[in-house]
Amino acid sequence: MSFSIPKNVPSFHSAQRDFENQSWAARFGRQKDLPLYKDKPYYNNSSAVKRRMGLLRKRVILTVAALLFFAYWLGVFSGDGVTLPTNLRKPSVFSEKVDWDERREKVKAVMAESWAAYERDAWGSDIYGPVSRTGRQMGSQALGWIIVDALDTLMIMNLTTELSHARNWVENTLNYDQDTDVNTFETTIRMLGGLLSAHYLQEVLHLVPSDKNPDMYLEKATKLADSLLGAYESPSGIPYASVNLHTSQGIVSHTDGGASSTAEATTLQLEMKYLAKLTGEEMYWEKAEKDGLVPIFISPITGEFRGKEIRLGSRGDSYYEYLIKQYLQTKKQEDVYKEMYNEAMSGMKKHIIGKSHPSHLTYVGELPDGVGGKVSPKMDHLVCFVPGMLALGATEGRPVERARKAAGGKTWSAREEQDLTLAKELMHTCYQMYAVTETGLAPEIAYFNDEVPPPGTTEVIDYKKDIIIKPRDTHNLQRPETVESLFVMWRLTGDVMYREWGWKIFEAFVAHTKVEGGGYTSLGDVTQVPASKRDNMESFWLAETLKYLYLLFSKDDILPLDEVVFNTEAHPLPMFDTPAHFTKRNWRKEAKAKEAKEAAPKKPETEAAAPKAAGVAEKPASPA
């Protein structure tokens, strides 16, 4: 199913929105003290002595600042963080007073500490419990769940010793020829994406030792992809939820009536397309090419959607993300994905964007009964990827001001401006999901108070009244979505507020998830201090959360968003031209042509059969 652009997209200039903007500006405007981040009290020093002391302090500060600037100019403070080649760097356009390099290095230190604890307690294990100091495997042998997922983070942070150990393990121990059933989606985004990103980054960062095989990661990725191909051998072409790595046999989901989730079925293309580009093998491209707002379940047998439930959280999230990222990955050469993305975002704005009370936070709700049903004010933390996605879709990875001026403004319309405004509002909401808790960390799920107050009621800003956290949803899994969007919003808008919010979140992670003796863990309840610990360090803590925080505090020229795309597991992959020898097909147009042909009245049997419409798909196409 798909949506045409609705006639009544919500107004982004309503009185209600103006109320929120004024309230937000009053609390979070460009004042000296950033939101929830007050540095020093203000003193009114009126005595002559205090004035003289103030002048003396100013002279000292100016002298020290001059010396520090001179030392910085000489390169004294150059960190050991990654320096990317010229083709992956762009001139920095923002400057701040905060020492962001120092904050970046603190993130790097947490990464090194997390890695050291894993090496000590559970090296080679797929699951790590930092509290119990234990590890275990997900399959009959190790799958590299933690090591492969973290490879590119080690590269970006220039943790060379740790990277050398990880590379040796991948080269000499990792083996995907094992009788193990794996989740198609998770294995693709984490393992295949991790290997391909490692291959890409080691080339541009010149990290291949002279005595090592430069294609080792690519060879491992190709073998893994060949095992995963069996998941696509379904009657509809929609991948099965699971696959056996040894037999390459696709396996229907053990739950949900055998249906794959929409995210599982439609978040495999970035990885497979880049592999096809590297190897020249079109089959990887074709397998992943088949694929509004859509329900969260889809049958691999029939290719039809199951049920009506629509949400941008679990089971549906990355479908929408990969629409815009596929368009960007092939340098905007596949317009079909931008078209689908725009339709989906129009549907989102029309059907599931809501406002809470009393503070008028913007949230993305859910449709348990589909379009036309009542909107549930439930928002997973997973949905916090949406602000970054909206900003990326509006700017196509370019800084906002450059995007507005591109092609004489012809590529920037009211749609892009509205999407950017909505991105900012949702980013604010996602940050408040952290700020309202006792730990400063967000719960897994939040509900928003959508009860409209009686007429004449004066509403005041009180975010704790807007955000409702139910007891079963208080856990925090070290998820990356909010810091991912903060990174994207900072890169594209240049607003330092997003960096400050990210720093506040990082400090909360350090304060509450650190394990005595080393390592960091997910939490059981973010509404209480001390927070209970769950004894599990998620692989995406290393692969995504810390990586995005590190990039948020790094120079804005590293991995520019108009030259790379990050897969849904934060593995950066380059943008590229569609290989000339690959068949260029608009499968969506083909599917619509076939549907129109099948719906047309049949001609009398005496008439000669009309020739087949050129390019009509022979197999049932996935719904768009």
Side-chain angles (χ1 to χ4, degrees):
M1 60 184 291
S2 62
F3 289 89
S4 58
I5 297 175
K7 295 180 180 179
N8 299 312
V9 174
S11 169
F12 286 75
H13 302 286
S14 64
Q16 183 178 8
R17 193 166 296 248
D18 290 340
F19 166 82
E20 181 196 357
N21 291 340
Q22 292 168 9
S23 301
W24 190 4
R27 289 288 296 274
F28 301 106
R30 298 284 190 168
Q31 66 248 33
K32 207 171 213 178
D33 294 321
L34 287 158
L36 304 180
Y37 206 80
K38 299 190 181 299
D39 297 324
K40 300 172 184 175
Y42 173 76
Y43 295 100
N44 181 15
N45 296 327
S46 57
S47 70
V49 173
K50 288 184 177 180
R51 281 198 300 271
R52 286 195 296 273
M53 292 299 293
L55 290 172
L56 178 60
R57 281 196 294 270
K58 287 180 180 177
R59 292 194 189 101
V60 172
I61 291 170
L62 288 172
T63 302
V64 172
L67 290 172
L68 287 174
F69 175 80
F70 182 71
Y72 175 80
W73 182 74
L74 292 175
V76 173
F77 298 114
S78 295
D80 59 349
V82 63
T83 300
L84 294 186
T86 304
N87 70 315
L88 287 181
R89 297 182 65 85
K90 289 184 181 295
S92 179
V93 294
F94 308 120
S95 61
E96 305 95 20
K97 298 177 182 178
V98 174
D99 188 344
W100 292 105
D101 287 345
E102 180 183 1
R103 292 185 173 185
R104 179 199 67 198
E105 291 305 301
K106 288 185 178 181
V107 177
K108 179 177 177 178
V110 168
M111 175 67 186
E113 187 179 0
S114 300
W115 187 263
Y118 169 68
E119 278 191 306
R120 178 196 65 200
D121 300 330
W123 181 246
S125 297
D126 296 322
I127 299 172
Y128 172 44
V131 177
S132 61
R133 296 193 178 186
T134 59
R136 57 191 176 90
Q137 308 298 6
M138 295 176 60
S140 57
Q141 303 173 39
L143 295 170
W145 213 249
I146 292 177
I147 295 175
V148 172
D149 219 7
L151 284 171
D152 53 10
T153 304
L154 298 175
M155 291 178 175
I156 291 169
M157 293 186 183
N158 201 29
L159 291 165
T160 54
T161 301
E162 293 85 347
L163 176 61
S164 178
H165 193 191
R167 179 191 168 93
N168 288 337
W169 185 90
V170 172
E171 186 171 21
N172 300 312
T173 303
L174 182 60
N175 174 29
Y176 285 121
D177 184 14
Q178 51 180 289
D179 188 14
T180 297
D181 298 343
V182 297
N183 180 277
T184 307
F185 163 67
E186 296 286 358
T187 306
T188 298
I189 65 169
R190 300 192 196 206
M191 300 301 95
L192 186 60
L195 291 167
L196 291 172
S197 181
H199 173 77
Y200 165 60
L201 288 180
Q202 74 168 0
E203 294 295 322
V204 298
L205 299 178
H206 309 294
L207 295 174
V208 186
S210 58
D211 61 335
K212 297 292 185 180
N213 174 14
D215 293 326
M216 185 270 290
Y217 293 129
L218 178 57
E219 290 170 358
K220 292 280 185 179
T222 303
K223 289 179 181 178
L224 175 58
D226 289 342
S227 295
L228 294 173
L229 285 179
Y232 296 86
E233 298 301 325
S234 67
S236 68
I238 299 298
Y240 290 109
S242 301
V243 63
N244 183 282
L245 289 177
H246 177 65
T247 64
S248 191
Q249 180 68 44
I251 303 166
V252 297
S253 173
H254 300 299
T255 59
D256 306 312
S260 302
S261 75
T262 302
E264 288 175 336
T266 58
T267 312
L268 311 169
Q269 298 94 335
L270 294 183
E271 300 80 9
M272 284 294 194
K273 286 185 173 182
Y274 183 47
L275 181 61
K277 162 72 173 176
L278 290 173
T279 63
E281 296 290 344
E282 190 174 4
M283 65 175 176
Y284 299 122
W285 193 290
E286 290 178 340
K287 292 292 185 181
E289 182 77 337
K290 291 188 175 183
D291 285 55
L293 292 177
V294 295
I296 60 172
F297 294 109
I298 186 170
S299 170
I301 307 301
T302 65
E304 296 177 351
F305 287 105
R306 293 270 187 89
K308 298 179 179 180
E309 186 173 1
I310 292 173
R311 61 174 181 246
L312 269 71
S314 61
R315 316 309 293 273
D317 51 354
S318 47
Y319 161 72
Y320 303 98
E321 174 189 359
Y322 268 36
L323 290 178
I324 189 61
K325 287 185 176 179
Q326 282 188 89
Y327 172 69
L328 297 175
Q329 182 187 37
T330 52
K331 296 186 176 179
K332 310 171 192 176
Q333 294 171 5
E334 297 179 290
D335 292 337
V336 60
Y337 295 111
K338 182 65 178 290
E339 176 189 342
M340 292 175 67
Y341 169 79
N342 284 338
E343 288 177 357
M345 293 306 98
S346 293
M348 178 187 76
K349 288 183 283 190
K350 179 179 180 181
H351 296 291
I352 55 178
I353 294 295
K355 285 285 188 178
S356 66
H357 297 278
S359 309
H360 298 253
L361 290 172
T362 304
Y363 65 86
V364 181
E366 298 181 358
L367 292 170
D369 299 315
V371 174
K374 180 177 173 57
V375 178
S376 167
K378 170 179 175 284
M379 183 167 155
D380 295 356
H381 182 276
L382 286 164
V383 177
C384 285
F385 81 95
V386 172
M389 177 186 68
L390 284 168
L392 194 64
T395 66
E396 297 183 349
R398 300 162 297 191
V400 170
E401 292 309 312
R402 185 151 62 89
R404 284 183 174 136
K405 295 175 183 177
K410 293 179 181 178
T411 58
W412 189 271
S413 66
R415 170 189 285 278
E416 283 72 33
E417 199 66 54
Q418 290 169 355
D419 284 359
L420 182 61
T421 299
L422 182 56
K424 293 177 180 179
E425 294 180 356
L426 290 172
M427 189 76 265
H428 175 224
T429 299
C430 288
Y431 175 70
Q432 290 305 327
M433 288 168 64
Y434 284 75
V436 298
T437 70
E438 294 301 312
T439 59
L441 293 172
E444 178 72 357
I445 299 170
Y447 289 78
F448 289 83
N449 177 22
D450 62 350
E451 185 175 343
V452 180
T457 302
T458 301
E459 295 194 279
V460 295
I461 301 294
D462 187 349
Y463 298 116
K464 289 189 176 182
K465 291 183 179 179
D466 288 64
I467 299 173
I468 302 163
I469 305 172
K470 298 185 178 182
R472 65 177 178 271
D473 303 325
T474 58
H475 51 290
N476 178 287
L477 302 182
Q478 306 170 291
R479 288 199 185 278
E481 287 77 22
T482 293
V483 295
E484 172 189 358
S485 283
L486 287 171
F487 159 65
V488 175
M489 294 297 290
W490 147 248
R491 280 289 185 86
L492 300 180
T493 69
D495 193 334
V496 72
M497 173 178 65
Y498 298 123
R499 285 181 130 182
E500 289 290 357
W501 287 356
W503 177 248
K504 195 73 175 177
I505 290 170
F506 172 71
E507 287 189 313
F509 272 124
V510 172
H512 299 287
T513 71
K514 183 177 174 63
V515 175
E516 185 177 352
Y520 292 78
T521 184
S522 52
L523 300 177
D525 188 348
V526 297
T527 65
Q528 298 182 7
V529 175
S532 58
K533 293 179 168 58
R534 292 172 65 106
D535 193 25
N536 185 42
M537 185 185 78
E538 299 285 352
S539 76
F540 48 71
W541 167 248
L542 309 177
E544 300 189 72
T545 306
L546 291 177
K547 181 188 296 167
Y548 280 130
L549 284 166
Y550 183 84
L551 291 173
L552 176 62
F553 305 145
S554 296
K555 297 291 188 293
D556 63 331
D557 57 355
I558 296 177
L559 298 172
L561 296 178
D562 57 352
E563 294 187 21
V564 301
V565 289
F566 287 81
N567 85 339
T568 196
E569 190 71 10
H571 296 308
L573 303 171
M575 296 178 184
F576 56 84
D577 291 309
T578 304
H581 66 284
F582 281 15
T583 304
K584 294 185 178 180
R585 300 171 58 238
N586 187 328
W587 55 265
R588 194 185 194 205
K589 189 176 292 185
E590 294 171 4
K592 287 184 175 180
K594 183 178 180 182
E595 289 173 3
K597 180 182 177 182
E598 292 176 346
K602 293 184 179 180
K603 294 184 178 181
E605 294 182 3
T606 54
E607 292 187 22
K612 276 185 182 176
V616 173
E618 292 295 322
K619 293 183 179 179
S622 306

